[in-house]
């Protein structure tokens, strides 16, 4: 069954049938209805997407490059909120979403092999070759939660100011023995010297710099632990390294709300009261932050606004590529906000 089959049935040209599916404004409502009715009667569902893409020179799809595991996109509440905002922003455009891992092992490399009109690179391992592969494909790109570069559009949040505000909040409460719970894919892990390690992610580095912006002038040398990844179980393991010790801190600054939740669980296990014996501050304002008890003090980033900005910036870049072949990079930094809830208080005297 082809366009020509329908054209012969209705007595119109092949192009007219094509317009009925792809350019309905080119036909009268009555003629389009006749064509669609004939197509339904004959069991024709529409032009072949692959042939249409070849003819138009577009795929109608954008890629979103995540970590090496796509499970992250469906289990992390911040990631799901981000992806939901992208989907909502893209809905009027008709563009579809393809999720890609940053893995480049084996014969199949998604960033190289999957057809797409452009890509969002979201909080990826900076050691992955995926960015180089996509750049050599000359696709419009937008970085999200990545180190910005001059020639590629980027969307970030003000992680450093958020970290600074969170640390200052604990200082203002009177805390002087403060722990840091960091996250990263590559070593070292465990108890670390935060001033001596090289962090492997934009958000991790900027949040640590923000914490240090407040702690260093106050003469505070924090006790720092770095966990492997961002999940709850690594967070629990790292939290125990901070809390199951005689010199445990009176407050902990956490890379994320999920990490902070791990700290709260371990504190309960060790019968450490929050906030009476321990203050905890997260980051993100994940929906989890108000679901747990006590409600988590955290730094809010507007994840939905970040998703909408990322999608809008990429669609603009795709449009610029089609019309002029050149892209004017945009660099957007969204604000953060400290939300004081129930997990922070002055230290016991």
């Amino acid at each position: 069954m082809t366009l020509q089959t329908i054209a012969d049935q209705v007595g119109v040209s092949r192009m007219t049938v094509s317009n009925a599916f792809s350019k309905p404004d080119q036909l009268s409502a009555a003629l389009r209805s006749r064509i669609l009715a004939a197509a339904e009667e004959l069991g024709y569902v529409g032009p072949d997407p692959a042939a249409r893409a070849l003819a138009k020179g577009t795929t109608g799809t954008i890629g979103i490059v995540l970590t090496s595991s796509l499970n992250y996109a469906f289990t992390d509440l911040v990631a799901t909120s981000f992806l939901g905002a992208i989907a909502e922003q893209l809905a009027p455009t008709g563009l579809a979403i393809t999720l890609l891992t940053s893995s480049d092992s084996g014969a199949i490399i998604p960033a190289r092999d999957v057809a797409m009109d452009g890509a969002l690179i979201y909080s990826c391992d900076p050691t992955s070759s995926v960015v180089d592969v996509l750049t050599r494909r000359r696709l419009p790109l937008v970085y999200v939660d990545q180190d910005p570069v001059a020639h590629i559009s980027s969307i970030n949040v003000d992680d450093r100011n958020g970290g600074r505000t969170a640390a200052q909040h604990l200082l203002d409460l009177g805390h002087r023995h403060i722990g840091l719970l960091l996250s990263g894919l590559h070593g070292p892990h465990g108890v670390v010297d935060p001033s001596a390690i090289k962090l492997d992610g934009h958000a991790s580095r900027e949040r640590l710099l923000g914490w240090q912006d407040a702690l260093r002038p106050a003469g505070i040398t924090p006790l720092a632990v770095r966990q492997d990844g961002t999940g709850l179980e690594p967070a629990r393991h790292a939290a125990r390294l901070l809390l199951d010790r005689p010199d445990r801190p009176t407050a902990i600054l956490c890379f994320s709300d999920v990490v902070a939740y791990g700290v709260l669980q371990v504190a309960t296990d060790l019968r450490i009261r929050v906030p009476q014996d321990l203050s905890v501050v997260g980051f993100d304002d994940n929906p989890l932050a108000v679901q747990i008890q006590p409600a988590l003090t955290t730094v809010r980033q507007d994840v939905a606004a970040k998703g909408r900005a990322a999608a809008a910036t990429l669609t603009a870049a795709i449009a610029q590529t089609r019309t002029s072949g050149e892209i004017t990079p945009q660099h957007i930094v969204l604000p953060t906000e400290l939300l004081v809830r129930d997990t922070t208080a002055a230290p016991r005297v």
Side-chain angles (χ1 to χ4, degrees), residues 181 225 227 232-245 248-249 252 254 259-267 270 272 278:
L181 217 168
V225 169
Q227 70 178 67
L232 184 58
E233 283 310 309
R236 287 176 55 86
H237 174 74
R240 194 167 285 274
L241 294 178
L242 281 174
L243 296 177
D244 195 7
R245 54 190 299 145
R248 62 176 171 82
I252 298 178
C254 300
V259 171
Y261 184 37
V263 172
L264 295 179
Q265 288 186 340
V266 172
L270 297 176
I272 298 170
L278 176 71

Side-chain angles (χ1 to χ4, degrees), residues 170-177 250-251 275-279 344-349:
L170 294 179
L171 293 174
D172 291 345
L173 288 172
H175 291 278
R176 292 299 179 269
H177 191 190
T250 63
Q276 296 92 331
D277 304 320
L278 176 71
S279 287
T344 51
R348 288 193 305 166
V349 178

Side-chain angles (χ1 to χ4, degrees), residues 152-183:
I152 295 177
S153 293
S154 61
I155 312 294
N156 286 301
V157 298
D158 194 352
D159 291 295
R160 186 164 185 167
N161 185 61
R164 183 186 305 113
T165 303
Q168 188 62 51
H169 170 61
L170 294 179
L171 293 174
D172 291 345
L173 288 172
H175 291 278
R176 292 299 179 269
H177 191 190
I178 296 173
L180 308 179
L181 217 168
L182 310 167
S183 178

Side-chain angles (χ1 to χ4, degrees), residues 194-212:
S195 64
I197 62 171
K198 181 179 180 181
L199 296 181
D200 56 10
H202 176 81
S204 296
R205 184 175 62 257
E206 290 297 303
R207 293 174 192 184
L208 174 59
L209 288 172
W211 295 337
Q212 292 173 326

Side-chain angles (χ1 to χ4, degrees), residues 5-323:
T5 309
I6 309 304
D8 293 341
Q9 176 78 4
V10 180
V12 296
S13 70
R14 183 178 178 280
M15 181 59 70
T16 298
V17 176
S18 177
N19 286 342
F21 287 95
S22 59
K23 297 179 181 179
D25 58 314
Q26 302 292 313
L27 308 179
S28 68
L31 178 56
R32 184 168 186 263
S33 295
R34 282 177 54 208
I35 293 171
L36 295 181
E40 183 174 358
E41 180 183 345
L42 294 171
Y44 180 72
V45 297
D48 176 42
R52 180 188 294 178
L54 185 62
K56 295 174 63 178
T58 64
T59 67
T61 299
I62 68 160
I64 303 179
V65 185
L66 301 161
T67 63
S68 57
S69 172
L70 289 183
N71 183 55
Y72 170 77
F74 302 98
T75 57
D76 182 87
L77 293 177
V78 173
T80 56
S81 297
F82 174 72
L83 293 173
I86 292 172
E88 183 179 20
Q89 183 72 26
L90 290 179
T93 71
L95 287 168
I97 295 172
T98 298
L99 298 182
L100 307 169
T101 76
S102 58
S103 173
D104 56 5
S105 60
I108 298 176
I109 302 175
R112 181 195 65 194
D113 301 329
V114 174
M116 64 188 95
D117 293 330
L120 297 172
I121 300 175
Y122 174 47
S123 193
C124 284
D125 180 354
T127 66
S128 170
S129 64
V130 63
V131 176
D132 180 59
V133 171
L134 291 171
T135 301
R136 284 189 281 119
R137 288 182 62 179
R138 298 184 180 180
L139 290 173
L141 303 177
V142 174
Y143 285 180
V144 184
D145 290 345
Q146 302 280 126
D147 289 336
V149 295
H151 62 285
I152 295 177
S153 293
S154 61
I155 312 294
N156 286 301
V157 298
D158 194 352
D159 291 295
R160 186 164 185 167
N161 185 61
R164 183 186 305 113
T165 303
Q168 188 62 51
H169 170 61
L170 294 179
L171 293 174
D172 291 345
L173 288 172
H175 291 278
R176 292 299 179 269
H177 191 190
I178 296 173
L180 308 179
L181 217 168
L182 310 167
S183 178
L185 294 174
H186 307 288
H189 298 114
V191 179
V192 297
D193 178 355
S195 64
I197 62 171
K198 181 179 180 181
L199 296 181
D200 56 10
H202 176 81
S204 296
R205 184 175 62 257
E206 290 297 303
R207 293 174 192 184
L208 174 59
L209 288 172
W211 295 337
Q212 292 173 326
D213 285 344
L215 298 179
R216 279 177 174 165
I220 305 298
T221 300
L223 176 65
V225 169
R226 189 162 182 259
Q227 70 178 67
D228 183 3
T230 58
L232 184 58
E233 283 310 309
R236 287 176 55 86
H237 174 74
R240 194 167 285 274
L241 294 178
L242 281 174
L243 296 177
D244 195 7
R245 54 190 299 145
D247 62 339
R248 62 176 171 82
T250 63
I252 298 178
L253 292 160
C254 300
F255 168 75
S256 70
D257 294 341
V258 172
V259 171
Y261 184 37
V263 172
L264 295 179
Q265 288 186 340
V266 172
T268 298
D269 294 343
L270 297 176
R271 298 185 178 181
I272 298 170
R273 298 173 301 167
V274 176
Q276 296 92 331
D277 304 320
L278 176 71
S279 287
V280 180
V281 183
F283 207 111
D284 291 331
D285 198 28
N286 185 318
L288 183 69
V290 292
Q291 296 170 3
I292 59 179
Q293 292 298 322
L296 182 65
T297 294
T298 189
V299 176
R300 180 179 184 269
Q301 60 160 311
D302 192 336
V303 178
K306 184 167 69 175
R308 290 191 297 267
T313 303
L314 183 58
T315 53
I318 292 171
Q320 288 176 354
T321 300
R322 290 174 183 168
T323 56

